[in-house]
Amino acid sequence: MNSDHIHLEKIENGLSNKLIYRKTEKENTIIIIDFSRDIEEFKNFLNVYEILLKVNISIPKIYGVNQQQYKIYMQDFGNDRFNKIYNKDNLYKLLKLAVDNIIIIQNETNLKNLKNLKKYTFKDLKIELNEFVTYYIPNKKIL
């Protein structure tokens, strides 16, 4: 592999402990997710991925998993993250798409497939709400 044709770009990971990179080699790009700082999140990611594979929605393909380094190599869908493409003109369209996908997942998911997932608790909700208030609101300068 010629190093002149390889570029590694760090991608914003929000409040997560995982590190996300985009690897560019010539015209091809892949996403590398490094979970070495949170092994539980690595396991949860793979569990959710297995569940979503069985549902009729589009998700990035996993090309490879390094179990020793807790890294996942996957398809790059580009920069079309919800918070990047959001604007007032298409908010309804994006929210409707999100809700439609949640309905598809709920209708097609077998409850047996969910047994490996960590149960979402009220404590988890409080932690996420605290992160929202502590980080998102000040970052967006919301009063």
Side-chain angles (χ1 to χ4, degrees):
M1 197 180 303
N2 185 342
S3 61
D4 294 336
H5 300 287
I6 298 173
H7 176 69
L8 204 58
E9 167 195 1
K10 188 170 186 319
I11 299 175
E12 179 185 339
N13 62 331
L15 299 176
S16 171
N17 284 322
K18 64 185 174 272
L19 300 171
I20 306 171
Y21 301 93
R22 176 174 285 123
K23 179 180 176 185
T24 304
E25 185 175 347
K26 296 184 181 179
E27 300 296 317
N28 300 319
T29 63
I30 65 167
I31 298 297
I32 301 170
I33 308 175
D34 179 349
F35 290 93
S36 60
R37 298 190 301 181
D38 191 340
I39 297 166
E40 198 60 37
E41 188 176 1
F42 174 75
K43 293 174 187 174
N44 287 337
F45 186 94
L46 291 174
N47 285 333
V48 169
Y49 184 82
E50 287 300 316
I51 292 167
L52 292 179
L53 272 179
K54 298 174 179 131
V55 178
N56 187 25
I57 60 171
S58 179
I59 60 172
K61 292 180 179 91
I62 289 182
Y63 298 132
V65 177
N66 184 320
Q67 296 281 348
Q68 289 77 34
Q69 295 181 352
Y70 305 103
K71 290 183 182 174
I72 296 174
Y73 304 87
M74 59 192 316
Q75 182 180 6
D76 184 3
F77 270 9
N79 290 318
D80 292 340
R81 285 182 19 191
F82 182 82
N83 66 331
K84 300 289 183 193
I85 61 174
Y86 154 76
N87 65 50
K88 290 179 183 167
D89 296 332
N90 67 2
L91 177 61
Y92 174 80
K93 182 178 168 185
L94 289 171
L95 289 175
K96 182 169 180 349
L97 180 62
V99 170
D100 289 346
N101 280 311
I102 290 170
I103 292 169
I104 290 169
I105 292 167
Q106 181 177 354
N107 288 339
E108 294 189 22
T109 302
N110 184 336
L111 292 177
K112 290 187 298 187
N113 296 332
L114 303 177
K115 68 180 179 211
N116 293 329
L117 296 180
K118 177 183 171 240
K119 187 174 182 178
Y120 190 80
T121 65
F122 185 69
K123 180 180 176 187
D124 296 324
L125 176 62
K126 288 193 317 188
I127 290 169
E128 289 182 4
L129 288 173
N130 184 44
E131 289 173 347
F132 178 77
V133 171
T134 304
Y135 298 103
Y136 182 81
I137 291 177
N139 185 41
K140 296 295 181 180
K141 297 178 174 65
I142 299 171
L143 299 175

